[in-house]
Amino acid sequence: MIEPLECLSCHEVYELDEFSSLCQCGGLLHIPGSGEKMDAAGIDFEAASLWRYKNHFFPKGNEDWKEITMGEGFTPLIPLDADNPSIMLKLEYFAPFSGVYDRGFAAMAAMLKDRGMIEKEVSPMPHKERLAWRAYTHRARIKEAVTDSGKLEDSYYYHPFFLAGIQTFAYEIGEQLSGKKLEFIVFPAAAPAFIIGSFLGFKQLMESEEIEEYPAFLLVERDCVKNENDSAFANEYIEKILAITKGKRMTVAQSEISQALRALEARFIKSTEDDALIYAGFMRYYRDFSIKDQLAILPIGYMNGGR
């Protein structure tokens, strides 16, 4: 079994008996790690997926993940082009369904199965990620529950099992950069679980001395949309992340997004407006702060796997 879980706010330790995301104090719960150093010795190099890092978040000796995985994770990291080798793109559209969130679905389904929740009801799932979650719960033989309102709960975004899968996004970057210093990483401001899970991954890399400092988290949103998440605890924790990483929030106009989409398409990068938002925000920062040759990573296809 996976224990203990720890509250990010008050550091209370839990044995998780229910499908819960929050501590009694209102803080997020997370899996603090296996206690082992995050280095090459703990990587399963035969697994070309997020499960290469299973020793750091999944019970040792448990092979259930092999029945559930669809190859999610360990996505390519490529330069934008020959003229901009320091701007790297992490191609999350190689995920089978919903981009980066497939990492969370796969890890959560496998861990719920490990905890004996086969054929029991759990309640994640709003709207567009539903197909992905159903695919993973089908492979894990977990039933999906619907609330009285007919809508599926979205608490899965902040569940420690889900966040454990998202953390592998950071683990991969640490492995793929092979010691190179990452200065900036860009996220959509409207994806709090992606931001928080990735930060927790970088936190483990810091604690293992695999990186010397956090990359600055740059959060981008449209200037006509206020992306404040409904969850106060998520907003509060994201503000802490920005302070710790010396990050920044940015807004971009629709005209900048359209221009960025054309720039990505001119480079034959498979992309959507979601991706162009990130690229537009980073290029604004790039111009305003003259950060040429400083290494940055932009996730592409983070909402668009399998398409």
Side-chain angles (χ1 to χ4, degrees):
M1 305 295 282
I2 302 167
E3 56 185 10
L5 301 178
E6 183 182 37
C7 174
L8 288 168
S9 297
C10 71
H11 305 291
E12 181 74 20
V13 173
Y14 283 79
E15 290 184 15
L16 190 63
D17 296 320
E18 297 178 2
F19 191 83
S20 177
S21 304
L22 302 178
C23 172
Q24 291 182 349
C25 78
L28 284 168
L29 299 177
H30 80 120
I31 299 172
S34 63
E36 297 181 6
K37 186 176 174 65
M38 284 290 306
D39 59 15
I43 297 175
D44 178 1
F45 290 102
E46 292 185 1
S49 69
L50 66 84
W51 296 100
R52 65 200 288 110
Y53 310 109
K54 63 183 180 294
N55 291 332
H56 297 288
F57 70 91
F58 198 64
K60 288 187 177 180
N62 188 320
E63 300 292 309
D64 286 346
W65 64 272
K66 292 182 178 179
E67 301 175 11
I68 297 167
T69 184
M70 288 186 277
E72 58 289 324
F74 205 55
T75 52
L77 183 65
I78 66 168
L80 176 64
D81 57 27
D83 296 325
N84 298 279
S86 64
I87 302 175
M88 306 290 290
L89 309 180
K90 187 93 167 101
L91 305 183
E92 289 299 295
Y93 58 67
F94 277 88
F97 285 102
S98 62
V100 72
Y101 290 148
D102 283 359
R103 298 171 181 270
F105 296 139
M108 187 162 65
M111 290 194 216
L112 290 175
K113 182 173 182 178
D114 171 72
R115 297 190 65 85
M117 295 188 74
I118 302 172
E119 301 302 335
K120 293 185 180 180
E121 291 187 339
V122 296
S123 300
M125 226 30 9
H127 27 272
K128 56 188 173 184
E129 292 94 12
R130 186 174 299 174
L131 176 61
W133 175 241
R134 284 180 174 170
Y136 285 110
T137 54
H138 174 75
R139 295 174 74 86
R141 298 186 296 281
I142 298 171
K143 285 185 177 179
E144 183 183 26
V146 180
T147 66
D148 292 338
S149 65
K151 295 181 180 179
L152 292 160
E153 302 292 341
D154 63 359
S155 62
Y156 78 97
Y157 272 131
Y158 306 112
H159 194 276
F161 295 170
F162 186 85
L163 293 176
I166 302 297
Q167 286 173 218
T168 63
F169 179 80
Y171 301 161
E172 287 174 19
I173 289 172
E175 180 184 352
Q176 290 169 320
L177 289 182
S178 302
K180 294 178 184 176
K181 183 181 180 181
L182 177 61
E183 300 280 358
F184 305 97
I185 187 161
V186 192
F187 294 94
F194 187 14
I195 298 164
I196 293 170
S198 296
F199 174 77
L200 293 175
F202 283 113
K203 183 173 183 288
Q204 285 199 20
L205 292 174
M206 281 283 289
E207 292 170 351
S208 296
E209 300 180 342
E210 289 296 298
I211 58 175
E212 294 182 357
E213 59 184 82
Y214 290 101
F217 276 45
L218 306 180
L219 311 186
V220 188
E221 58 193 342
R222 298 171 187 265
D223 62 2
C224 58
V225 177
K226 188 176 182 181
N227 279 323
E228 249 186 53
N229 306 297
D230 293 333
S231 303
F233 62 83
N235 290 326
E236 179 182 349
Y237 197 69
I238 287 172
E239 290 307 312
K240 290 180 181 179
I241 290 172
L242 290 174
I244 292 169
T245 68
K246 301 177 182 178
K248 182 179 177 63
R249 287 184 182 270
M250 297 174 292
T251 59
V252 293
Q254 181 58 46
S255 59
E256 294 175 279
I257 296 171
S258 298
Q259 183 179 1
L261 185 59
R262 290 193 294 270
L264 290 170
E265 290 174 345
R267 293 173 170 85
F268 297 94
I269 303 296
K270 177 184 175 183
S271 53
T272 66
E273 276 211 352
D274 292 322
D275 307 313
L277 170 73
I278 288 177
Y279 184 65
F282 177 72
M283 293 312 295
R284 165 87 71 80
Y285 192 89
Y286 184 92
R287 292 190 299 269
D288 290 351
F289 295 92
S290 301
I291 58 169
K292 185 175 175 60
D293 299 327
Q294 295 185 53
L295 189 60
I297 289 179
L298 288 64
I300 298 294
Y302 67 93
M303 290 291 289
N304 196 33
R307 298 180 191 173

